[in-house]
Amino acid sequence: MKRKVLIAMTALLSPAAMIGQAQAQQQPYQGTVGRTLAESKEWWPEPARAPAGAPNVVWILLDDVGFGASSAFGGGVSTPVLETLAQQGLRYTNFHTTAICAPTRAALLTGRNSSSVHEAGFSHIPLSAGFPGWDGRIPSTAGTIAEILRDGGYNTFGVGKYGLTPDEDATDAGPFDRWPTGKGFEHFFGFLGSQTDQYKPDLIEDQAHAKPDGRHLSEQITDKAIGYIDTQKKAAPNKPFFLYYAPGATHAPHQVAAEWSDRYKGKFDAGWDVYRQQVFAQQKRQGIIPANAVLPDRDPTIAAWSSLSPDEKKLYARFMEVYAGYLTYTDHEIGRLVEHLKATNQYDNTLFVVIVGDNGASKEGTLNGDVDRTITSKPLSYQENVAYNLAKIGELGTPAAVEGNYPLGWAQAANTPFRLWKSDANSEGGTRNPLIISYPKTIKGGGTIRTQYGHVIDILPTTLDLVGLKTPDRIRGLQQQPVEGISLAYSITDAKAPSRHQTQYYYIFGSRAIYHDGWKAALPFPNRVIADSPGGAKPFDENAWELYNLNEDFTERLNLAKRYPEKVAELRALFEKEAQTHNLYPLITWDDVRSGRIHRTQGGATGQEALDKLTQHPRPAQ
């Protein structure tokens, strides 16, 4: 008898039971409690159920992929699976991220601006600060899509990169409330940080570190995602699931089997200038960019391909072959997931949201590319770096390339048709990424294009609209901050509908921009954290704002600041208003990071010391 009582008590304390209790707390008790059982009437809350016929939801977020990389948007890298999803659904060409990974992921998962949810920077020690917009700790008042869908009758799974757990919490001792399982994911398999080795990842599953099995991480996360789905469908075949699929690709390190990179042998020998021209022409043919768009000049920090030596061309072409192979392999792994959904008759009733990059292509590979040197390593001269990388050309793409990343020339090419790179919040090259929305059962888009202005905060309300759920005022009893995104659902059936997202601010450690109704004011900031970063030696001028009319100047070539100073002043004032509203103050910069002026906790690492530790080669899994 005692044993039965213990079993019953254990069941009450199980996670599933506690979830049920939490859901019950949201519904007022509707029974009758009398002095005796005869005078009482039991009541049980209805379990959460998704709307009838609600689709499965698969969010796919790639990493560091520029606008002009994927063939689904005119790029020179083959991604047939993304092409198929795009051709079935819709392609959004005016969609934006925040310009860097953690803020984008926080904004995506919560539907709120990154600084509104404390992630203006990162959750890493040297890139966070003790202010409401900057501490890297997403509050429980900013519930994630996983929390909303879980409480709305979905099972919720995540695989790949999370990137939003504070460094201090990322051990097997927790606390776990800011791990993925504390943010609504019933299962999660992947890594907590910003970057990891693809063969020796710092791997976790649910609430503990896990041992990698030696295979490529993308293969492991795809297998795990399929396993989660199959297990769930056996237990509850009619219950929909939410899957957040976020591979480390194509963030550094670029690591992929030679069978993928060798497919591109010789394909990039013509160089980055020719690639930009070819992709630009293809984007026009496909209607991805306007017919009157003009390709910006090559960035002055990048050499003309024709001026490079034979050794430089050989080296840099191989860097791009590896990158392209990595992206194509990632597309293949997405394809395994898609084919499994087809084979199990779940594809037609699955909503796919695919964001091709959490920011623009990365500048972190510097002018020469990188094999195994961290971004804070002592700089080599240009020729020393070329010689160093040439000696290791055979290691590109292999497990030995622990920091593998392509040169800036290829990063700019992958961002075609835009200027600049990842972390440049002032540029479309940092913030504009392709978006695919595909829902075979409902959306018959045929690959048509949508040009409405969109931002990553818009994906959560869009998803809720399409699955038939409302944004909750409370989650597990906690009052929620308003969702700040605007659903894009209005654009699905009306290609010509005017944009509803009229105003959006951007800020990444000094670089900033404000968009309003087609106009954009932008201010660059030198990034001195990355060695030899373009513009890193240029002094910052807070009055050097630029002005662009994006309705007429798609690629930000014509700076109109001197012609319309009153427009600049108007937009600058709007930026300050948005910054204050969304907890962006104080305006922390890369110089503050480099100088160790933030996250000054007693006895803790700060500044350069913590940054050096963060950018060391990934540690083995615990």
Side-chain angles (χ1 to χ4, degrees), residues 485-513:
I486 298 171
S487 173
L488 287 163
Y490 70 92
S491 67
I492 289 174
T493 56
D494 188 355
K496 296 182 179 180
S499 298
R500 295 183 182 178
H501 194 138
Q502 293 291 320
T503 303
Q504 183 60 49
Y505 76 96
Y506 298 86
Y507 186 90
I508 299 295
F509 291 107
S511 65
R512 67 202 74 170

Side-chain angles (χ1 to χ4, degrees), residues 381-454:
S381 71
Y382 182 92
Q383 291 303 328
E384 288 172 337
N385 212 334
V386 170
Y388 181 90
N389 288 343
L390 266 174
K392 292 175 174 282
I393 192 171
E395 296 180 7
L396 293 178
T398 72
V402 293
E403 293 289 338
N405 207 343
Y406 56 7
L408 269 171
W410 283 118
Q412 183 178 41
N415 271 341
T416 303
F418 301 113
R419 301 181 300 113
L420 304 180
W421 299 271
K422 168 185 177 180
S423 81
D424 293 324
N426 53 300
S427 73
E428 297 294 292
T431 62
R432 194 179 297 214
N433 287 90
L435 169 68
I436 298 167
I437 298 180
S438 174
Y439 183 2
K441 181 179 177 180
T442 299
I443 299 175
K444 309 297 182 182
T448 54
I449 289 168
R450 295 293 184 268
T451 59
Q452 286 84 0
Y453 190 92

Side-chain angles (χ1 to χ4, degrees), residues 59-74:
W59 280 8
I60 299 172
L61 177 64
L62 302 187
D63 201 334
D64 285 8
V65 183
F67 191 92
S70 167
S71 58
F73 285 76

Side-chain angles (χ1 to χ4, degrees), residues 268-273 301-321 366-371 380-391 393 396 405-410:
F268 303 111
D269 288 356
W272 45 59
D273 295 321
T301 61
I302 297 169
W305 186 265
S306 60
S307 72
L308 300 177
S309 69
D311 278 347
E312 289 170 320
K313 291 179 180 179
K314 173 185 174 182
L315 173 65
Y316 297 160
R318 185 56 183 166
F319 269 112
M320 185 58 181
E321 291 168 5
T366 69
L367 288 172
N368 305 106
D370 195 0
V371 181
L380 300 176
S381 71
Y382 182 92
Q383 291 303 328
E384 288 172 337
N385 212 334
V386 170
Y388 181 90
N389 288 343
L390 266 174
I393 192 171
L396 293 178
N405 207 343
Y406 56 7
L408 269 171
W410 283 118

Side-chain angles (χ1 to χ4, degrees), residues 101-384:
C101 52
T104 290
R105 290 161 198 272
L108 171 66
L109 289 172
T110 67
R112 302 162 177 96
N113 286 289
S114 56
S115 57
S116 294
V117 297
H118 299 217
E119 201 80 26
F122 286 73
S123 296
H124 299 307
I125 290 172
L127 297 167
S128 57
F131 304 103
W134 288 90
D135 62 22
R137 286 149 171 79
I138 297 175
S140 298
T141 55
T144 68
I145 185 67
E147 292 176 277
I148 295 170
L149 292 180
R150 175 200 61 195
D151 292 354
Y154 278 70
N155 284 121
T156 56
F157 316 126
V159 295
K161 175 174 172 176
Y162 187 61
L164 299 172
T165 300
D167 289 344
E168 300 93 325
D169 297 356
T171 74
D172 285 343
F176 300 108
D177 54 327
R178 293 189 178 94
W179 284 44
T181 51
K183 292 296 179 183
F185 290 99
E186 293 168 322
H187 289 294
F188 186 90
F189 178 84
F191 60 102
L192 299 177
S194 296
Q195 171 178 328
T196 198
D197 191 292
Q198 295 297 295
Y199 291 102
K200 298 178 181 177
D202 189 14
L203 199 59
I204 64 112
E205 182 163 18
D206 295 340
Q207 293 185 349
H209 279 80
K211 185 177 181 180
D213 62 13
R215 295 179 299 150
H216 197 284
L217 179 59
S218 294
E219 182 179 0
Q220 293 183 62
I221 68 169
T222 305
D223 284 351
K224 189 64 70 170
I226 290 171
Y228 288 152
I229 292 167
D230 285 352
T231 299
Q232 184 248 12
K233 289 300 178 184
K234 286 179 182 178
N238 297 319
K239 187 175 183 179
F241 66 83
F242 167 64
L243 172 65
Y244 177 51
Y245 183 95
T250 55
H251 195 290
H254 297 172
Q255 296 170 317
V256 68
E259 65 179 287
W260 295 97
S261 55
D262 287 352
R263 296 182 181 196
Y264 289 95
K265 275 193 172 179
K267 296 289 180 66
F268 303 111
D269 288 356
W272 45 59
D273 295 321
V274 169
Y275 179 98
R276 292 182 73 220
Q277 294 162 1
Q278 291 176 339
V279 168
F280 187 72
Q282 177 71 359
Q283 289 171 334
K284 281 196 174 184
R285 284 193 295 269
Q286 292 185 0
I288 302 295
I289 63 177
N292 65 349
V294 178
L295 183 65
D297 293 338
R298 182 192 334 104
D299 192 272
T301 61
I302 297 169
W305 186 265
S306 60
S307 72
L308 300 177
S309 69
D311 278 347
E312 289 170 320
K313 291 179 180 179
K314 173 185 174 182
L315 173 65
Y316 297 160
R318 185 56 183 166
F319 269 112
M320 185 58 181
E321 291 168 5
V322 169
Y323 169 82
Y326 191 21
L327 181 53
T328 298
Y329 169 64
T330 304
D331 182 81
H332 163 79
E333 288 297 328
I334 294 170
R336 286 209 299 127
L337 172 64
V338 170
E339 288 304 312
H340 184 77
L341 294 176
K342 289 180 178 179
T344 54
N345 297 316
Q346 298 177 77
Y347 173 76
D348 285 346
N349 197 35
T350 297
L351 167 64
F352 295 91
V353 177
V354 185
I355 305 174
V356 189
D358 56 352
N359 42 247
S362 172
K363 68 171 75 173
E364 292 151 10
T366 69
L367 288 172
N368 305 106
D370 195 0
V371 181
D372 56 9
R373 291 165 50 78
T374 71
I375 63 172
T376 55
S377 296
K378 181 180 179 181
L380 300 176
S381 71
Y382 182 92
Q383 291 303 328
E384 288 172 337

